[in-house]
Amino acid sequence: MALKDYNDLNDIQLDVLREIGNIGSGNAATSLSSMLAQPVQIQVPKISILDYEDVTSALGGPETMIVGLMLSLEDDVSGMLMFLLEKEFAHMTLSTLLCQDIDSFDEIDEMGISAMQEIGNIMAASYVNAISSLTGMTINISVPSVCVDMAGAILSVPAIHYANISDKIIFIENKFSNEAENAVSHVLMIPDVDSLEKIMTNLGIEI
Amino acid sequence: MSTITVGISDLQVAKGDDVLVTYALGSCVGICLYDQVAKIGGLSHIMLPSSTMNANSAQTPMRFADTAIIMLIKKMEAMGASKIRMKAKIAGGAQMFATVTNSSIANIGQRNVQAVKAVLQQQGIQIVADDTGKNYGRTLHFSPSDCVMRISSANRGKWEW
C-alpha cells in the first residue's frame, strides 16, 4: 500500500521515525556541545505526530515568541526541516557564543541572528546525517532562513506549504541542558510523502 | 460583550459589540466583512487560495479563499446583513522567511492575498483596508460595533485600520 499522508503510517513505521529522531537528537547534542565547548546533556527526545494546531499549543499558544529556522531538504529526500527554538535556548547558546546576555528577542541583533543560523545549520546536519547514514541516501540541506516571530505565524508556512499533503507533522521535542541552564528546542521533520516512502523502503520496512 | 476566537481554516460571525479575534496570522489571510448598518461582522482565516486544486476540499471549505468568503457572506446574510452594504478589511499574507529561495514557499502569502482580492472583487465587495504582505505575524481583532480592524504584531507594536 502506498503512503498518502502521515496518517497512513503504522506503528512500525512510526517507530522508525522515532529512532531517526533519537539518533538525530543525540548527534545534535554532540555538535552543540563541541560548538559551545562545554558538556551538553540531552534527555530522551519526545517524538510525536501532531496536528499543526496541537503544535502551536505545545509551544505555549499561537502568540508565543519563538525563533524559527527553516531549511529545505534536497536530492534523494526532499522536504522541509524546521527548528523552533525557545527563548532559553537562544539565551543559552548566544551567551556562550557571543557573550551576549539576552533577555528578550528584541535584543537579538544581526550577529545573533547569524549565530542562530549557524546553530540551525549544524543541528540540521545532525538530523540529516541520521537519516543519511541509516538509509545510505544522499541528502543536502539549504542555508537556513531565520525568523523571530509568533509561533502561529511561523508555523503557517509549513502548514500552508504541506496542506495538500497532510495536516500532521513529525514533532520532536528536545530538552538540552548545560551546567547553568535548561533549554528546549523543537524539530519539525516534514519529508515529502514519496521521500518518506523511499526512506522506509531503504530501511527494508514494508509499505 | 464576548470574544469569539477564529481558528486556522475557520470562520465566525458576530453582532453588536462582540469581538472577533484570530491569532498569529502568518502567510494566512484574515478577512473581516461587515455591514455597518446592521452591525454584523464576520471574520474568516484562510490558509490556501483555491479549493479547485485540492481533492478533499469539500470537507474543508473554510480553508480556501474562494469557498470560505462565499460561506461567510451567506452566514452573515442569514443573520440579517445585506451583501450590497458589505465592506472588507484584510490582513496577513506575510512572507515570514525573507531569504527563502524556493519560490513556491516564498510566495504562499502573496498568492493568498491575490486570491482573496479576486474573490472579493468578483463578489462586488469593496476592500477599505489592506494590511497585507511584509514579513511579520499579525494578530487581528475586529468588532462590528465600530468596524475597526485592530492589528498587533510581536515586535512592531499595534495599529488600527
Side-chain angles (χ1 to χ4, degrees):
Chain A
M1 193 190 81
L3 291 173
K4 279 203 295 295
D5 69 44
Y6 294 166
N7 287 324
D8 293 342
L9 292 167
N10 61 31
D11 286 345
I12 296 172
Q13 292 160 342
L14 286 177
D15 276 343
V16 169
L17 292 176
R18 285 200 184 95
E19 192 49 29
I20 291 174
N22 265 327
I23 299 171
S25 300
N27 290 353
T30 311
S31 351
L32 203 58
S33 166
S34 59
M35 186 163 48
L36 302 178
Q38 53 178 256
V40 172
Q41 317 287 330
I42 182 169
Q43 291 181 17
V44 176
K46 258 196 270 173
I47 298 168
S48 31
I49 310 277
L50 290 181
D51 284 327
Y52 281 97
E53 303 226 13
D54 296 334
V55 173
T56 350
S57 36
L59 294 170
E63 289 191 297
T64 312
M65 284 297 283
I66 211 156
V67 181
L69 295 152
M70 188 172 75
L71 306 97
S72 42
L73 306 175
E74 284 145 24
D75 283 338
D76 289 349
V77 173
S78 53
M80 193 192 274
L81 198 64
M82 194 169 214
F83 287 91
L84 301 170
L85 311 176
E86 290 180 6
K87 201 169 66 191
E88 292 74 21
F89 190 94
H91 183 267
M92 176 172 129
T93 47
L94 295 184
S95 63
T96 314
L97 286 175
L98 304 175
C99 301
Q100 291 178 344
D101 206 13
I102 287 176
D103 288 323
S104 94
F105 281 122
D106 297 342
E107 296 167 32
I108 302 181
D109 56 9
E110 221 167 287
M111 194 64 199
I113 294 283
S114 164
M116 300 302 292
Q117 209 168 355
E118 191 49 31
I119 291 162
N121 221 346
I122 290 169
M123 290 183 62
S126 311
Y127 285 90
V128 168
N129 277 341
I131 307 177
S132 187
S133 60
L134 283 174
T135 58
M137 296 162 96
T138 312
I139 309 165
N140 272 321
I141 51 176
S142 69
V143 176
S145 182
V146 186
C147 172
V148 183
D149 211 306
M150 297 185 265
I154 290 178
L155 278 169
S156 74
V157 176
I160 294 172
H161 191 64
Y162 289 97
N164 287 337
I165 302 169
S166 178
D167 290 331
K168 294 185 185 294
I169 35 176
I170 306 163
F171 183 73
I172 307 169
E173 186 183 274
N174 291 313
K175 286 206 171 95
F176 294 101
S177 53
N178 65 1
E179 283 170 0
E181 307 176 78
N182 294 313
V184 181
S185 84
H186 305 270
V187 186
L188 310 179
M189 282 205 291
I190 323 169
D192 291 350
V193 172
D194 44 345
S195 296
L196 197 57
E197 236 180 78
K198 269 197 262 175
I199 295 173
M200 294 296 165
T201 319
N202 278 18
L203 290 170
I205 309 288
E206 259 180 66
I207 296 174
Chain B
M1 189 194 109
S2 62
T3 304
I4 303 161
T5 305
V6 179
I8 303 167
S9 305
D10 185 17
L11 58 84
Q12 299 288 341
V13 288
K15 209 170 176 166
D17 59 1
D18 285 352
V19 179
L20 294 157
V21 57
T22 195
Y23 295 103
L25 286 160
S27 298
C28 300
V29 179
I31 306 129
C32 313
L33 292 184
Y34 61 94
D35 174 344
Q36 204 152 10
V37 178
K39 296 225 178 296
I40 291 169
L43 175 58
S44 156
H45 180 147
I46 62 107
M47 250 175 100
L48 291 168
S50 168
S51 61
T52 55
M53 288 148 66
N54 190 299
N56 302 321
S57 59
Q59 287 138 37
T60 52
M62 294 186 283
R63 175 178 283 189
F64 307 94
D66 54 351
T67 40
I69 292 175
I70 308 284
M71 228 174 127
L72 186 59
I73 294 171
K74 291 209 174 110
K75 224 171 159 179
M76 286 169 65
E77 280 178 331
M79 279 177 81
S82 151
K83 189 176 163 188
I84 301 163
R85 289 195 299 258
M86 280 185 202
K87 292 199 164 65
K89 295 187 176 183
I90 62 173
Q95 185 187 343
M96 298 304 297
F97 291 89
T99 57
V100 174
T101 46
N102 182 332
S103 64
S104 73
I105 297 178
N107 298 333
I108 48 177
Q110 204 190 344
R111 281 201 303 270
N112 278 335
V113 173
Q114 280 167 353
V116 165
K117 287 184 178 170
V119 176
L120 288 172
Q121 190 183 19
Q122 176 210 330
Q123 295 299 317
I125 297 174
Q126 189 198 350
I127 300 172
V128 292
D130 175 359
D131 183 16
T132 54
K134 310 236 174 88
N135 63 345
Y136 50 85
R138 298 164 172 93
T139 285
L140 188 168
H141 288 82
F142 182 83
S143 171
S145 62
D146 57 3
C147 303
V148 174
M149 176 171 78
R150 293 179 173 83
I151 304 290
S152 47
S153 69
N155 34 29
R156 285 173 180 76
K158 299 175 175 197
W159 54 91
E160 293 183 353
W161 290 87

